Amino acid sequence: MNRRHARPEVGPAGTSRRADPANHVNHRADDGRNETPNERSDRNWNDILQELRVALTGTQLIGGFLLAVAFQPRFEELDAYQLTLYLVLVALAGLATVIGLAPVTLHRTLFRRQAKDRVVRTGNRLLIADLAVVALLVIGVTSLVFDFALSRIAGFVALGIGAVILAALWLVLPRLQAAEVGDDADVVDAATGD
């Protein structure tokens, strides 16, 4: 049986024990994985890439919408506040794209330098930063549309409601789920250390 599918070592009272450090295999009975630190980093990196793909797709859609708006006949009807908000949103879309692509350039720069763990940690931080910028972008675009289509008050209400919904789904819900059984303690510890 190879290391990847080896049965975890179980200590007293069913607790897991780490295997001999010389073979670098973490045996965790609570998560069912037997992987080396490199395998864990590879898995975490692939997770980050999948999440970045989702975030970048959303950013591209919103950015495309914002760019198309500038070429619409009614664009000239924007007042000073709406034009300022529009330009801030275009800048946020560009920033979100740059931050979202930064982990890829980081990986390319550190490729084959035995730095995958560092790439994963930095990629995680960049992904969190990208999500924060995308959050601002989403609620800002919603506010701009409501402001232009209805009124300034409607734009502010949409901004407030969007911020509450976003905070509930992106901040509160994940933290409530973090207490679930089966969490990877190493990942939770690393995330709280970031």
Side-chain angles (χ1 to χ4, degrees):
M1 191 179 299
N2 66 28
R3 288 186 310 182
R4 189 177 191 89
H5 296 91
R7 299 185 71 192
E9 294 180 23
V10 179
T15 60
S16 66
R17 290 186 309 196
R18 301 230 185 250
D20 175 11
N23 71 13
H24 305 293
V25 177
N26 291 333
H27 294 291
R28 292 185 45 104
D30 59 341
D31 78 353
R33 292 191 179 114
N34 300 319
E35 53 191 6
T36 66
N38 285 338
E39 290 170 333
R40 181 177 299 270
S41 290
D42 288 343
R43 178 176 52 82
N44 289 336
W45 178 246
N46 285 330
D47 289 347
I48 287 170
L49 288 179
Q50 291 300 326
E51 293 165 11
L52 281 169
R53 285 182 182 112
V54 172
L56 283 170
T57 300
T59 302
Q60 287 173 334
L61 291 171
I62 294 170
F65 162 75
L66 288 170
L67 293 175
V69 165
F71 297 100
Q72 299 303 311
R74 291 189 63 193
F75 184 75
E76 295 177 7
E77 296 175 25
L78 294 179
D79 64 25
Y81 168 78
Q82 292 167 334
L83 182 59
T84 301
L85 179 57
Y86 171 80
L87 293 174
V88 166
L89 294 171
V90 169
L92 285 174
L95 180 61
T97 302
V98 169
I99 294 171
L101 293 174
V104 176
T105 60
L106 177 70
H107 182 263
R108 272 300 101 207
T109 303
L110 297 177
F111 186 68
R112 293 191 178 188
R113 293 191 182 178
Q114 310 303 315
K116 181 63 85 68
D117 189 49
R118 188 170 15 151
V119 169
V120 169
R121 279 194 314 271
T122 304
N124 180 55
R125 291 178 185 130
L126 288 166
L127 177 56
I128 290 168
D130 189 47
L131 290 174
V133 173
V134 169
L136 294 173
L137 184 60
V138 168
I139 60 176
V141 166
T142 304
S143 177
L144 177 63
V145 170
F146 273 79
D147 185 298
F148 185 77
L150 297 176
S151 69
R152 181 74 26 95
I153 292 173
F156 288 137
V157 168
L159 180 74
I161 291 172
V164 168
I165 291 171
L166 194 132
L169 294 177
W170 287 20
L171 299 173
V172 176
L173 182 63
R175 281 170 177 66
L176 291 174
Q177 297 298 312
E180 293 291 322
V181 177
D183 280 345
D184 185 335
D186 294 335
V187 172
V188 172
D189 290 343
T192 57
D194 287 345

